[in-house]
Amino acid sequence: MKGVKILIIEDDRQDAGLLKGMLLDHGYEVGGIATSLPEALQLFHMLQPDLVIIDIFLHGRKDGIAFAEQISGDEDSRKPFIFLTSAADRNTFEAAKLTAPFSYLLKPFNELELQYAIELAVEKFTGAPAGMFAMEQKSTVMLKDIFFVKRGNVLAKISLDDIQYIEVEGKYSKIVCSKDKYLVQQPLKLILDRLPGIRFVRIHRNYIVNIREVAKVNLTDNEIVLEDGRSLLFSRRYFDDFMRAFDVLR
């Protein structure tokens, strides 16, 4: 289970170290620390972080704002970003606001403020309903081909390629991956609505399957066998939709 990968842009070594420590303590992955605009752009395109925390002033210039303007201009590489600064003046805030940041922190800040800012930034960027992460310590939001799953104070990142199937388990849904399982308090239908239909299909009232994980289909026993040998039952009610995902040679 990998945490959200964060790029830090901060020219003050002490502040960068403090921020990195807070992030690591909460289970996030710090991909790198940049101290200048050129270095920040280079690391951003190289690391492809999930989120960027940006100090507005780098070596006395508002290069943090310049960085935000550049990454916001490209829809393909756009990522959520959070500004942090010790400058509390209105002019700095207004200049930063023009780049549409996903959150804004004034130094000094505490760990709880940082945690909330990250959660709000991810929610805003993914278009998740406000407050989604408040759901009984377990929730999910989706970003392109990635699921973010929250457990306690940790946001975990799950690639859709790793998901084998999703199963109803009481009032929860269980996301079964190749190496781990995750319980989330969301109904199967809501999760299915957020998944790409070309890759995930409902096969039973209790199951959604990743069609890339299907090895064979036993029509006699109404059984789908996955690549790792595990099997799931399918319902005739959903069978036609499932088979439309494949080209069948007769």
Side-chain angles (χ1 to χ4, degrees), residues 84-171:
L84 64 104
T85 182
S86 56
D89 63 285
R90 188 73 189 184
N91 288 338
T92 298
F93 174 70
E94 291 294 340
K97 192 167 67 169
L98 292 175
T99 66
F102 292 79
S103 201
Y104 193 95
L105 288 174
L106 288 174
K107 298 179 183 179
F109 55 87
N110 60 43
E111 293 189 37
L112 189 58
E113 290 172 332
L114 177 64
Q115 177 69 24
Y116 288 169
I118 291 172
E119 292 184 13
L120 288 171
V122 172
E123 284 183 355
K124 184 177 179 182
F125 185 68
T126 58
M132 174 168 271
F133 282 126
M135 294 173 58
E136 292 192 10
Q137 305 298 316
K138 297 183 180 73
S139 294
T140 65
V141 292
M142 187 168 167
L143 173 61
K144 294 182 180 178
D145 61 347
I146 293 170
F147 256 117
F148 289 100
V149 176
K150 188 178 185 219
R151 287 175 172 172
N153 289 324
V154 176
L155 290 176
K157 182 173 66 177
I158 306 171
S159 169
L160 294 187
D161 289 335
D162 290 335
I163 299 175
Q164 296 178 303
Y165 64 94
I166 305 171
E167 176 184 3
V168 170
E169 186 161 301
K171 65 177 182 178

Side-chain angles (χ1 to χ4, degrees), residues 16-33:
L18 179 63
L19 180 58
K20 179 180 179 179
M22 288 183 182
L23 294 172
L24 293 176
D25 286 345
H26 284 274
Y28 298 109
E29 176 186 346
V30 177
I33 299 175

